[in-house]
Amino acid sequence: MNNMTLIHKARAYCEQRGARFTPLREKVYEILLAKHGPMGAYELLDSLKETESSAKPATVYRALDFLLDFGFIHRLESTNAFVACYHFGCNHPVQFLICDSCGDVAEIQSEGLKDTLDSQAEAHGFRVSKQTIEAHGLCAECQKTEDSTLKEQVHEC
């Protein structure tokens, strides 16, 4: 689904729920969709100021809160950054693979993981209402780079 389709879908989703998808909220979502990766609030503010010179941190945080509440974006707790969600409108378990080298983020869904967590929580008398798991490591591209660097270092010895 392309970015404009997602924006139209988000607008319709808000209208169905009686919420306003203001131009500013739309712009913040658009910036995150275009980034295809995580952005911090101040990085978002800098991007937003390119078209909205009067934007302030509070403006961005209010837009982010709205987008989070409606499931249009996710917050990466470990890096305090935000990423666009491409399949909002459903309550889904979220797992992120975060590359510590390049910062790339992949959102995956593993129902088996959710089922296991729910079963273990239930055994403790606990009910999970929301689940986000963040795994840090190296993406395939960075692993290749690291492997190449290690091979070069071995040859130098």
Side-chain angles (χ1 to χ4, degrees):
M1 202 177 297
N2 70 35
N3 292 356
M4 287 312 296
T5 303
L6 281 167
I7 289 169
H8 290 298
K9 183 179 170 190
R11 196 178 297 128
Y13 186 77
C14 288
E15 286 173 14
Q16 291 169 355
R17 284 151 185 79
R20 291 188 58 232
F21 196 53
T22 64
L24 187 67
R25 292 169 177 168
E26 183 176 320
K27 184 66 180 170
V28 171
Y29 186 49
E30 187 179 309
I31 291 168
L32 283 167
L33 286 169
K35 172 73 174 183
H36 293 287
M39 289 183 84
Y42 282 92
E43 185 181 1
L44 267 165
L45 178 61
D46 290 342
S47 292
L48 187 60
K49 281 186 174 184
E50 291 176 14
T51 57
E52 308 290 328
S53 60
S54 64
K56 305 277 187 255
T59 308
V60 171
Y61 281 112
R62 281 193 299 272
L64 289 170
D65 285 343
F66 176 88
L67 296 171
L68 283 166
D69 288 345
F70 277 79
F72 299 144
I73 64 173
H74 297 291
R75 180 171 185 219
L76 302 174
E77 300 290 335
S78 63
T79 59
N80 198 23
F82 302 88
V83 292
C85 180
Y86 295 89
H87 44 83
F88 55 84
C90 60
N91 186 10
H92 59 278
V94 182
Q95 297 94 41
F96 293 106
L97 304 176
I98 304 168
C99 181
D100 290 326
S101 182
C102 70
D104 186 45
V105 176
E107 180 179 343
I108 61 171
Q109 294 182 8
S110 172
E111 288 300 323
L113 184 58
K114 180 189 180 326
D115 293 341
T116 300
L117 179 64
D118 287 345
S119 294
Q120 290 180 354
E122 189 177 317
H124 289 278
F126 188 86
R127 184 176 8 166
V128 176
S129 60
K130 181 180 171 189
Q131 174 255 297
T132 302
I133 295 175
E134 299 177 24
H136 287 263
L138 293 177
C139 68
E141 214 40 54
C142 290
Q143 288 177 57
K144 288 178 193 173
T145 302
E146 186 177 84
D147 290 347
S148 296
T149 303
L150 287 175
K151 286 179 184 176
E152 288 174 14
Q153 288 174 350
V154 168
H155 289 294
E156 290 175 3
C157 295

